Amino acid sequence: MSTLVARHVSKSYLSGGKPISVLTDASLSVDEGQFVTILGPSGSGKSTLLNICGLIETLDGGELIHKNTVLNKLTQRQRTDYRRQHLGFIFQSFNLVPVMTVADNVAYPLMLLDWSEADKKQRVREVLKQVGLSDFADKKPEQLSGGQSQRVAVARALVKRPSIIIADEPTASLDAETATQVIEQMKALATEQGTACLIATHDPRLLPYSDSVLHVDHGLIVRESVTVKPVSENHITLGELS
Amino acid sequence: MKWILLAWQNLGRNRRRTLATLLLIAMGVTGIMTTTGFALYTYESLQEFAMRENGQLILSHPDFFEREEEFPLQLGVADSDDIRATLLKDLNVSYVLPSIEFNGLISNGEKTTIFMGRGVDTDLPKVMGPALNIVDGRALSLRPDPAQDYEVILGQGLAESMQASIGSGLTLMSTTSDGALNAIDVIVQGIVATGIPEMDARYLMVHNSSAQFLLDTDNVSQLSIYLRNSDLQSDYQQRLTDEFPHLLVTPWQDRAFFYRSVKNLYDRIFGVMGVVILIMVLFAIFNTSAMSVMERIREIGTLGALGTRRSEIIRLFLLEASLLGGLGTLLGYGLSGILTIALTVFDVQMPAPPGQTEGYPLQVYFSGEVALWALFGVVVISMLASALAVRKGTQLTVAEALRYA
Ligand SMILES: Nc1ncnc2c1ncn2[C@@H]1O[C@H](COP(=O)(O)OP(=O)(O)O)[C@@H](O)[C@H]1O
Ligand SMILES: [Mg+2]
């Protein structure tokens, strides 16, 4: 069953007074628990598409549907509340809140949902254990390495069991080894709780984990491939793109 | 609760900036607390001084304060003894002191000058206490000996001018109420300092009976009514007006010109100072909040992406500002408390006010009411400043804020 469906999405920005079209006719669908990767050259509109799907950017045309809700009709406040309830985010540069401890960072989405102190504590402990950072609960983000920080971010994104996670270049700030580790943890956790992942990346190491790869170019989804083991094919794709 | 904790943690982000802002607020609050404390102390001292001299209410002829008398005590109160006896039956009335204002010439035999005299009741020293500053000799006798000369207390300057000391004999001359010239011999009983040099050069006090003899009258100029409790003042003002329709009842404030002009002046000076201080606080908080917002735009975007409402983000910044304002105010209480205590321990004298001879101790009242108002003012201003600063930072969309370098 499709969790998230985007149909004929278009988006343009004003640049120096005249509109430049970033997305012209992008469609995608993400099924429950699916791991979907968006691939494309820099400037092709991956972030824009992701931001629209993540409800932090509005679309100009087309529609966006999550389960049975038409999201492109929501007000700003409703979009905020929708993110609060249903979405998780992972960013390229981790974006942990520096004054909060690791545990508080992970607990933040639960705090927004008014979880009780006890439930919150238990859930945070559980998720931190899953990402292997139980011993770091009381540390501040500045005391963590890049890989550890991104694992905290993964924990923060998944802690409320959202139906979908939006991740824009989640491995771009990490070295190869930690990138793999982070993605494996993310995939394992997401799969376990049935959370879908929508990821923008140019990192080929992500492709083997993907259930589906969308190739974006100039705001159009040029090709959608269901990746059983499409390693060689993706090498070609990336060769074209970079 | 979580939000307050988060706001608190955010204050620790840039400790030096937070501390500098806190100190500035604390100093501002100390400024407000000590200046208003000083003004309150001054008001109360002057108020007490004025009330000791004239009581809370003054009974007089309706025109007494309005126009000049054509002859002495033309506008006096005739039946003062009856009025006094009636009023003293009321347990809330502690004293009713008649007094007589008169003037004339004083002479030591070789030199003559004019005086401004006051006939007073023998109980006056009791109500005036320290406000009656006898620098030499004694107050007027409680029971003047009719066989002796009339007693007089001279102002310091007048005593010098008459080359008089305790025990010197002088002559007072004046016109009686029916226009004849009269004179009495007086003996100097004491020398008084009023604090105002121009006053001291002319002032003298005698018993009411002496003044009445000199002026050949039974009238007095006014009756000062001292109530046990100043809260009863307006109540009694009404009652006395009803009871003595032929007389005028004047509250002490209407006759306390020095008190009123000082209060007017201080209210203005310290009012303006307070406003300046609050504006200073506004700018400090605005600056701190604006820097804090600019530094945290990406974080604002992150919190927004995670589902934090714009109102919650604004609230967070307002909380931070009010914490800052509140803590700064508390610190200011501490500082002004220390200053208040230090001023009582080390006796600091204020220079004499214009037209006065004596300085007075610099003391500051710690007023709970002013403290609460300062807290309220600072917190409201902090939130206002922060709201102005935050508006810009939260106008970006979440995506824009996240892209912000
Ligand atoms: N807020 C914006 N204003 C103007 N142009 C923008 C804005 N956001 C993105 N763009 C432009 O849209 C295009 C696609 O950007 P983006 O979605 O970030 O691509 P990608 O993530 O694939 O690199 C780029 O040319 C970029 O310059
Ligand atoms: Mg991008």
Side-chain angles (χ1 to χ4, degrees):
Chain A
M1 179 207 156
S2 284
T3 298
L4 184 77
V5 179
R7 278 196 210 107
H8 311 298
V9 170
S10 63
K11 173 78 182 174
S12 55
Y13 290 110
L14 279 181
S15 174
K18 44 180 199 249
I20 49 163
S21 182
V22 177
L23 298 177
T24 46
D25 184 10
S27 299
L28 64 81
S29 87
V30 180
D31 287 351
E32 210 170 285
Q34 232 193 358
F35 195 102
V36 176
T37 305
I38 303 174
L39 260 181
S42 181
S44 59
K46 303 186 294 296
S47 293
T48 305
L49 184 56
L50 217 58
N51 289 347
I52 287 171
C53 293
L55 293 181
I56 58 176
E57 189 87 86
T58 50
L59 46 70
D60 295 343
E63 61 177 358
L64 186 68
I65 295 160
H66 179 246
K67 297 194 173 150
N68 293 317
T69 315
V70 180
L71 299 181
N72 48 295
K73 297 259 167 67
L74 299 182
T75 63
Q76 187 193 314
R77 165 67 183 262
Q78 288 170 326
R79 288 199 301 274
T80 305
D81 287 352
Y82 213 86
R83 293 196 299 273
R84 187 193 284 240
Q85 293 291 339
H86 302 287
L87 304 183
F89 281 85
I90 298 174
F91 308 93
Q92 176 179 340
S93 42
F94 325 135
N95 293 14
L96 300 178
V97 181
V99 296
M100 293 190 205
T101 62
V102 163
D104 285 343
N105 265 285
V106 175
Y108 186 82
L110 302 183
M111 169 185 139
L112 291 182
L113 293 173
D114 290 326
W115 279 41
S116 77
E117 212 53 44
D119 291 349
K120 217 160 54 182
K121 220 167 169 171
Q122 196 197 334
R123 175 66 181 148
V124 168
R125 197 180 299 144
E126 182 183 34
V127 184
L128 279 179
K129 194 172 166 207
Q130 286 172 321
V131 296
L133 291 174
S134 296
D135 296 341
F136 292 80
D138 296 325
K139 296 255 190 297
K140 287 284 172 69
E142 64 190 12
Q143 295 168 285
L144 306 180
S145 69
Q148 288 167 338
S149 297
Q150 199 62 310
R151 275 148 63 198
V152 175
V154 168
R156 178 174 68 181
L158 283 155
V159 70
K160 67 183 172 201
R161 305 179 207 274
S163 76
I164 184 160
I165 285 182
I166 308 287
D168 195 352
E169 312 270 11
T171 57
S173 303
L174 304 173
D175 61 55
E177 199 177 323
T178 39
T180 311
Q181 207 184 1
V182 167
I183 288 300
E184 269 172 11
Q185 262 175 359
M186 180 173 144
K187 165 122 187 170
L189 264 162
T191 307
E192 183 200 306
Q193 58 190 50
T195 298
C197 299
L198 183 59
I199 297 169
T201 188
H202 55 261
D203 186 346
R205 279 174 303 253
L206 260 63
L207 297 181
Y209 303 95
S210 309
D211 300 314
S212 166
V213 181
L214 306 174
H215 303 267
V216 181
D217 200 1
H218 297 302
L220 276 168
I221 294 177
V222 292
R223 189 148 34 100
E224 180 169 355
S225 52
V226 177
T227 53
V228 186
K229 258 241 185 287
V231 180
S232 56
E233 184 204 354
N234 280 305
H235 272 302
I236 299 160
T237 311
L238 282 169
E240 288 167 9
L241 299 176
S242 53
Chain B
M1 201 51 225
K2 273 280 176 191
W3 289 106
I4 294 175
L5 189 68
L6 182 54
W8 169 252
Q9 287 168 332
N10 280 328
L11 290 185
R13 249 170 223 263
N14 191 329
R15 295 233 164 90
R16 196 191 304 181
R17 188 165 69 208
T18 299
L19 210 65
T21 315
L22 275 180
L23 274 179
L24 192 125
I25 297 170
M27 271 157 37
V29 169
T30 307
I32 292 177
M33 295 285 293
T34 48
T35 50
T36 49
F38 168 70
L40 288 176
Y41 166 75
T42 308
Y43 297 165
E44 201 181 290
S45 308
L46 291 174
Q47 208 171 35
E48 193 189 318
F49 195 89
M51 276 199 289
R52 278 175 184 275
E53 204 166 359
N54 278 323
Q56 286 95 343
L57 295 169
I58 301 164
L59 267 183
S60 67
H61 184 283
D63 289 344
F64 180 66
F65 298 117
E66 287 293 305
R67 59 186 169 99
E68 287 296 315
E69 295 177 316
E70 283 153 31
F71 53 85
L73 294 180
Q74 180 199 6
L75 304 176
V77 181
D79 42 0
S80 67
D81 285 344
D82 295 344
I83 295 174
R84 185 182 198 177
T86 316
L87 285 175
L88 282 176
K89 283 188 200 135
D90 188 330
L91 289 178
N92 286 321
V93 176
S94 52
Y95 290 99
V96 178
L97 302 187
S99 60
I100 298 172
E101 278 175 27
F102 67 108
N103 41 51
L105 297 170
I106 182 168
S107 173
N108 62 4
E110 287 159 8
K111 186 181 172 193
T112 302
T113 187
I114 51 172
F115 69 81
M116 281 161 42
R118 189 166 185 225
V120 298
D121 193 89
T122 47
D123 276 343
L124 187 70
K126 281 194 219 156
V127 295
M128 280 191 76
L132 181 66
N133 186 10
I134 305 235
V135 291
D136 197 7
R138 290 176 287 120
L140 297 171
S141 309
L142 283 180
R143 255 177 272 283
D145 183 349
Q148 294 282 321
D149 274 344
Y150 296 110
E151 294 172 2
V152 71
I153 291 186
L154 298 179
Q156 235 173 349
L158 188 58
E160 268 168 42
S161 156
M162 285 289 109
Q163 289 167 330
S165 52
I166 307 304
S168 303
L170 300 166
T171 305
L172 304 185
M173 287 166 275
S174 186
T175 33
T176 64
S177 25
D178 29 56
L181 204 61
N182 197 10
I184 55 171
D185 288 329
V186 293
I187 186 160
V188 177
Q189 175 87 353
I191 293 174
V192 73
T194 60
I196 304 167
E198 289 76 13
M199 184 87 170
D200 280 347
R202 299 271 177 261
Y203 187 64
L204 62 80
M205 279 195 287
V206 297
H207 286 109
N208 276 330
S209 53
S210 314
Q212 282 173 334
F213 181 80
L214 176 65
L215 304 171
D216 190 20
T217 181
D218 292 328
N219 286 1
V220 299
S221 304
Q222 62 175 52
L223 288 149
S224 299
I225 296 158
Y226 294 78
L227 299 170
R228 272 187 217 290
N229 182 348
S230 290
D231 296 341
L232 299 169
Q233 184 182 320
S234 55
D235 187 18
Y236 270 75
Q237 182 176 351
Q238 191 53 50
R239 266 205 229 183
L240 294 178
T241 309
D242 296 345
E243 198 172 342
F244 304 105
H246 61 296
L247 295 176
L248 175 71
V249 185
T250 309
W252 68 271
Q253 287 93 337
D254 288 3
R255 303 303 303 162
F257 300 112
F258 187 64
Y259 165 81
R260 272 164 48 183
S261 56
V262 168
K263 187 168 187 309
N264 249 323
L265 181 72
Y266 280 15
D267 279 353
R268 260 178 231 187
I269 293 178
F270 296 136
V272 169
M273 259 183 72
V275 169
V276 169
I277 288 172
L278 287 181
I279 290 176
M280 209 173 72
V281 168
L282 183 103
F283 277 106
I285 300 257
F286 178 81
N287 194 41
T288 303
S289 292
M291 287 204 280
S292 179
V293 169
M294 287 319 273
E295 286 166 6
R296 282 155 65 188
I297 289 214
R298 255 172 56 137
E299 182 175 313
I300 291 171
T302 305
L303 297 182
L306 298 183
T308 316
R309 294 172 193 144
R310 196 174 122 95
S311 58
E312 288 166 330
I313 287 169
I314 291 173
R315 193 181 61 189
L316 177 63
F317 278 92
L318 293 194
L319 265 176
E320 288 173 28
S322 5
L323 267 181
L324 205 56
L327 287 176
T329 307
L330 290 186
L331 203 62
Y333 290 171
L335 281 181
S336 51
I338 290 171
L339 208 68
T340 305
I341 292 167
L343 282 175
T344 51
V345 174
F346 306 103
D347 175 43
V348 181
Q349 287 286 321
M350 285 296 282
Q356 304 252 319
T357 46
E358 310 255 326
Y360 57 114
L362 172 57
Q363 297 250 312
V364 167
Y365 275 173
F366 193 95
S367 154
E369 197 180 329
V370 172
L372 280 182
W373 276 109
L375 179 66
F376 176 75
V378 168
V379 168
V380 166
I381 281 204
S382 303
M383 303 217 296
L384 185 74
S386 171
L388 288 174
V390 164
R391 248 168 30 133
K392 180 154 181 277
T394 51
Q395 262 164 3
L396 298 177
T397 67
V398 171
E400 282 165 342
L402 281 169
R403 264 196 305 271
Y404 199 87

